[in-house]
Amino acid sequence: MDVGFIGLGRMGRALAACLVRAGHTVRVWNRSPEAAQAVAGARPVPTAAEAFAGDAAVTMLADDAALRAVIVEGGLLDAPDRPGLHLSMSTISVALARDLAAIHERAGVAYIAAPVFGRPDVAEKGALNIVAAGDPGALGRAGPLLDAMGAKTWPFGPVPERANAVKLAGNFMLVSAIEAMGEAAAFAEGHGVAGADLLDLLTNTLFASPVYKGYGASIAADRYEPPGFNLRLGAKDIRLALAAAEAVGVPMPFASALRDNLIEAIAMGDGDKDLAALARVAARRSGRP
Amino acid sequence: MDVGFIGLGRMGRALAACLVRAGHTVRVWNRSPEAAQAVAGARPVPTAAEAFAGDAAVTMLADDAALRAVIVEGGLLDAPDRPGLHLSMSTISVALARDLAAIHERAGVAYIAAPVFGRPDVAEKGALNIVAAGDPGALGRAGPLLDAMGAKTWPFGPVPERANAVKLAGNFMLVSAIEAMGEAAAFAEGHGVAGADLLDLLTNTLFASPVYKGYGASIAADRYEPPGFNLRLGAKDIRLALAAAEAVGVPMPFASALRDNLIEAIAMGDGDKDLAALARVAARRSGRP
Amino acid sequence: MDVGFIGLGRMGRALAACLVRAGHTVRVWNRSPEAAQAVAGARPVPTAAEAFAGDAAVTMLADDAALRAVIVEGGLLDAPDRPGLHLSMSTISVALARDLAAIHERAGVAYIAAPVFGRPDVAEKGALNIVAAGDPGALGRAGPLLDAMGAKTWPFGPVPERANAVKLAGNFMLVSAIEAMGEAAAFAEGHGVAGADLLDLLTNTLFASPVYKGYGASIAADRYEPPGFNLRLGAKDIRLALAAAEAVGVPMPFASALRDNLIEAIAMGDGDKDLAALARVAARRSGRP
Amino acid sequence: MDVGFIGLGRMGRALAACLVRAGHTVRVWNRSPEAAQAVAGARPVPTAAEAFAGDAAVTMLADDAALRAVIVEGGLLDAPDRPGLHLSMSTISVALARDLAAIHERAGVAYIAAPVFGRPDVAEKGALNIVAAGDPGALGRAGPLLDAMGAKTWPFGPVPERANAVKLAGNFMLVSAIEAMGEAAAFAEGHGVAGADLLDLLTNTLFASPVYKGYGASIAADRYEPPGFNLRLGAKDIRLALAAAEAVGVPMPFASALRDNLIEAIAMGDGDKDLAALARVAARRSGRP
């Protein structure tokens, strides 16, 4: 397929490379040209409009503001060469996803929400889990692209923003797992048990899953740099989850506690560290250095 | 070895049967004789003192009060035939474990704390994870018993109560996982996504671990009976964790939120349901039936 | 002075009447003309622009969206007859207050933020407490208006949005007081003590202040209609406080708990009742009807 | 009346002096004789039994353990000279109060629970608020003593432990007020408003009550020594409130948040400072020194 790819952060580059590897023709574009790095086999184009064209366009941008700026304020949906399909993979608010679905419908461009689970190193191997929702026909057409970028695509029906709700729910559970490990480790240390020993036991038995093993290893080693996914982005996702929960009348006490603790972590200077550094809040509160 | 086993609840019977299967000579005793069920190949004895004797005695009782009543108030440590080793497997408070360690030392009985992770059906297969702490020599002598009862023993050093701290930390993480799934499912439902679909995705990818799969399946099916581990016992463990955390100056905001929610669940009549019924609190708060 | 008044809800009408009583010439305007009620002695004008003129214009609108729509999107700051001074009395976000201060500065209109404490019945008596911040010269010119509308004006320096931060902090403390009374009453009832008796004691001794007496009386009588200040508006103010706190890196665990409980109260159908109905959440959670 | 007074901390001495001033004959006793200070006009006696005698005995001790040790374990209820009436004024658990009521009934000693609101300086002026519950006849006989010690006695019926529940509910509201002021002050400071200015406004208007003015002044001045009521004791009262709430199935999310924050305050070294130092937790979490 003839694909345009917008957003060449580490995640975007990994996904664009997957598309190239699978034999698709890929045009790439990034907002800040100086940050744009080459994707071998893909053709850089000078404007967003040239990327937002062809059989399908894929976007992987940092947040609501970036996606809105490029697509909506950039007027791309009015461009004559607009693509038949927009595969929107950024982690964004449910509200923006709903708006975008409506705007795309008016413009006659199929809109598929397809956020992903997995860190950039997983993306590089094409091993992400992709959550996809949108018009069934369009989802079918996007199949080869989704297959190229992820290990598995989990369909969540015809309403695009539901995929974004699922993504936020997953990230909420992920940050909850980190907080639980942080509190458990602080508790153990208070009783003379090394947090690393506790986490070694638990993440190899009851909690032997990717999230616990990955973040648990960081907490056990008390090592949060370089960040795989930084704490400030985690705080953003919890903010989005709380806003989306409030919109549908769902209280989330764990998410509220996470929000407070993430704000404290940022106030203490850990915003640019890995999200696992949230565990330092529990340690600090118990008077440990 | 010649072993006495005290406490024939479902967990205790499973463990006693493991010891019989491994070729040990096992005497068994239960507080309420009417609740005592036969353990094939084990010899029932009429008094606790006859069970608390031999090479080793194993206890698996419901809570602090039961263990204290049988061992301390029952005067078993003064009995002439007291065993060389007491393998204390109940989930009890860190404070009681510390007291018991001191009392046993005065009585000249080695005290090993050896709480377990896993439900009764896992115990029946001899597949539990055992957390053990106590005098290294005694731990060595207990080895054949531990090997008979669990898939793996995780040693946590010479201070017995540390094993109990580890057990409470693990149960705290487990209840946290349930709460996180409950909130995430309520959030998803609010956005038109079936909680079961969300949990199917997450417990087969990022959270593909025994705890998430097991409790997630209950939440997805909204089925909490019969209980594997009842909610009231989960509430007790969180209370023990909070008390032990306070004793060493560790705040645990997630544990505090869990405590509130478990009290609410019990007030709503779910105390005797499976611990996974904690997820109903989040659903109810969002106005779902 | 020649004053325009925009926003004729119950609060706005009370304040406009105070200005009339003090001898000022008052033009009044409301967005939805059908909701506009006459203010005796004030002259209704057909457009917002005619109200946003003269020596000073006063605005008392429901929320950010209303204020932004009328003033900014309505283009009033570009009107040739724009007033010398804008006294902005609505409870709005700190972020919008900051934006408005900058926009007014560019338009050459002095901007005074002057949110108030007190319910409409207090406003009718001219007995509000007004929190005012902005350019000292403009504050001086606004003095006669402030004196006419409130019992006392509390100056908070030259930066307008700080008055809004103070207002949100006060409302946060107010909702916290209600929650504390609600939990205390549920606790007392659980022990066989009537919540009304408990609150009678406490709001006449340690907590003998207007907020506790007023809201305490509602909780004691379990009567939440008609609303003095509805729960949904209280939820909005906590949301604004949390957003403003996050913007400056301040975690507020009580505000987070309030947010969850207010969402639950709204989900249970109490959004249009008086804010004191927040106390029903604690009662309901403890299983009381 | 002929009165024995047990417990000569600062509060006990103030109350015993009130009784002397009112013309009663007062014998006094303290556990640690070296800490006992003279109460002018009262007669020190060498044993608790000599104080627990006469028309009435009054106890004002530090906590459950102290009261239990002196009265129950000290065997005073079996003494031949035991008094007709025991006025129990300590802040103790609801559970202990219930036990004591039963034990006194068996011993034929009327038991009145009569905890107080107010700091020692208020007690010295005889201006406390006393919450009293117990047998109506005994309450009538205790009237002259209660009148001598407090400005007003608030009766709460015939069940003694209900007075203790009321006391704990009041202290919970008090600590909640401090937390709310602490978070509000941190929020204000984050926006460039002095916390002292904010509290000056609010504690003189909406929150113009003794608790807010007293603790608010400490927070405004950031001065927590010498302690009027130390933080560790406040933490104890919240622990008692949570236990009593759990016993009757009442979740208290604010109390849970307070518990976490008080543990953190103690971990940071503020346990012996005034309870108002709880406000430092919010300040510290926002990164302020």
Side-chain angles (χ1 to χ4, degrees), chain C residues 27-285:
Chain C
R27 282 156 288 111
V28 297
W29 181 83
N30 198 58
R31 273 211 292 175
S32 53
E34 67 283 5
Q37 294 183 25
V39 174
R43 180 163 67 88
V45 292
T47 64
E50 286 169 81
F52 201 73
D55 297 324
V58 184
T59 50
M60 178 53 101
L61 294 159
D63 55 22
D64 278 31
L67 186 59
R68 195 184 284 277
V70 171
I71 302 300
V72 184
E73 293 159 15
L76 294 192
L77 285 164
D78 303 322
D81 292 338
R82 62 186 182 271
L85 171 71
H86 177 191
L87 202 55
S88 178
M89 304 186 79
S90 316
T91 296
I92 56 169
S93 71
V94 176
L96 177 58
R98 186 180 299 116
D99 286 355
L100 287 175
I103 295 171
H104 280 71
E105 181 153 11
R106 288 198 292 274
V109 176
Y111 183 79
I112 301 291
V116 303
F117 285 111
R119 292 187 166 212
D121 57 316
V122 178
E124 283 159 8
K125 295 174 202 143
L128 295 172
N129 281 283
I130 304 178
V131 181
D135 172 71
L139 257 177
R141 297 203 308 278
L145 303 178
L146 294 165
D147 292 347
M149 291 187 287
K152 180 163 179 180
T153 296
W154 300 76
F156 272 85
V159 182
E161 67 260 26
R162 289 184 183 169
N164 298 92
V166 167
K167 168 65 180 166
L168 294 177
N171 276 20
F172 155 71
M173 280 176 54
L174 186 158
V175 189
S176 292
I178 295 172
E179 171 70 21
M181 285 191 280
E183 294 187 21
F187 172 85
E189 297 270 353
H191 284 283
V193 173
D197 291 345
L198 176 78
L199 294 176
D200 179 49
L201 158 64
L202 293 171
T203 65
N204 283 297
T205 54
L206 287 72
F207 296 94
S209 80
V211 157
Y212 279 85
K213 281 175 175 289
Y215 288 101
S218 292
I219 297 169
D222 201 23
R223 189 163 31 77
Y224 307 109
E225 292 171 296
F229 177 67
N230 81 33
L231 194 144
R232 212 178 295 278
L233 286 173
K236 183 204 74 173
D237 289 355
I238 294 300
R239 189 166 52 238
L240 294 182
L242 282 166
E246 184 167 356
V248 294
V250 176
M252 295 180 77
F254 262 26
S256 290
L258 292 176
R259 185 184 171 285
D260 287 323
N261 293 1
L262 289 162
I263 292 173
E264 179 172 343
I266 294 169
M268 295 299 159
D270 287 349
D272 297 323
K273 296 211 176 74
D274 190 82
L275 180 52
L278 171 61
R280 298 183 69 198
V281 172
R284 198 185 299 114
R285 283 184 185 165

Side-chain angles (χ1 to χ4, degrees), chain B residues 62-118:
Chain B
D63 54 22
D64 277 32
L67 186 59
R68 195 185 285 277
V70 170
I71 302 299
V72 184
E73 293 158 16
L76 295 192
L77 286 165
D78 303 322
D81 292 338
R82 60 186 184 273
L85 171 72
H86 176 191
L87 202 56
S88 178
M89 304 185 78
S90 316
T91 295
I92 55 168
S93 70
V94 176
L96 176 58
R98 187 180 299 119
D99 286 355
L100 287 175
I103 294 171
H104 281 71
E105 181 153 13
R106 288 198 292 273
V109 176
Y111 184 78
I112 301 290
V116 302
F117 285 112

Side-chain angles (χ1 to χ4, degrees), chain D:
Chain D
M1 291 170 74
D2 175 25
V3 189
F5 201 106
I6 292 176
L8 300 176
R10 194 171 159 207
M11 204 72 178
R13 289 199 309 275
L15 293 176
C18 287
L19 293 174
V20 169
R21 268 205 307 274
H24 298 289
T25 303
V26 184
R27 283 156 288 111
V28 296
W29 181 81
N30 198 58
R31 275 212 293 174
S32 52
E34 66 283 7
Q37 295 184 24
V39 175
R43 179 162 67 88
V45 292
T47 66
E50 286 168 82
F52 201 72
D55 297 323
V58 184
T59 50
M60 178 53 102
L61 292 159
D63 55 21
D64 278 31
L67 186 59
R68 196 185 283 278
V70 170
I71 303 299
V72 185
E73 293 159 15
L76 294 193
L77 285 165
D78 303 322
D81 292 337
R82 59 187 185 273
L85 172 71
H86 176 191
L87 203 55
S88 178
M89 305 185 78
S90 316
T91 295
I92 56 169
S93 71
V94 176
L96 176 58
R98 187 181 299 117
D99 287 354
L100 287 175
I103 294 170
H104 281 70
E105 182 153 11
R106 288 197 292 274
V109 176
Y111 183 79
I112 301 291
V116 302
F117 284 113
R119 293 188 166 211
D121 56 317
V122 178
E124 283 158 8
K125 296 173 202 144
L128 293 172
N129 281 283
I130 304 179
V131 182
D135 173 71
L139 257 177
R141 297 203 309 279
L145 304 178
L146 294 166
D147 292 348
M149 291 187 288
K152 180 165 179 179
T153 296
W154 300 76
F156 271 85
V159 183
E161 66 262 26
R162 289 185 183 168
N164 298 91
V166 167
K167 168 63 180 168
L168 294 177
N171 275 21
F172 155 70
M173 281 177 52
L174 186 159
V175 188
S176 292
I178 296 173
E179 173 68 22
M181 286 192 280
E183 294 187 21
F187 173 84
E189 297 269 354
H191 284 284
V193 174
D197 291 344
L198 175 79
L199 294 176
D200 179 49
L201 158 63
L202 292 171
T203 64
N204 283 297
T205 55
L206 287 72
F207 296 94
S209 81
V211 156
Y212 280 85
K213 282 176 175 289
Y215 288 101
S218 291
I219 297 170
D222 201 24
R223 189 163 30 78
Y224 307 108
E225 291 172 298
F229 177 68
N230 82 33
L231 195 144
R232 211 178 295 277
L233 286 172
K236 183 204 74 173
D237 289 354
I238 294 301
R239 188 165 53 237
L240 294 181
L242 282 166
E246 184 167 357
V248 293
V250 176
M252 296 180 77
F254 262 27
S256 290
L258 292 177
R259 185 183 171 284
D260 287 324
N261 293 1
L262 289 162
I263 293 173
E264 179 172 342
I266 294 169
M268 295 298 159
D270 287 349
D272 296 322
K273 296 211 176 75
D274 189 82
L275 180 52
L278 172 60
R280 299 182 67 197
V281 171
R284 196 185 300 114
R285 282 184 184 165
S286 64
R288 282 195 295 132

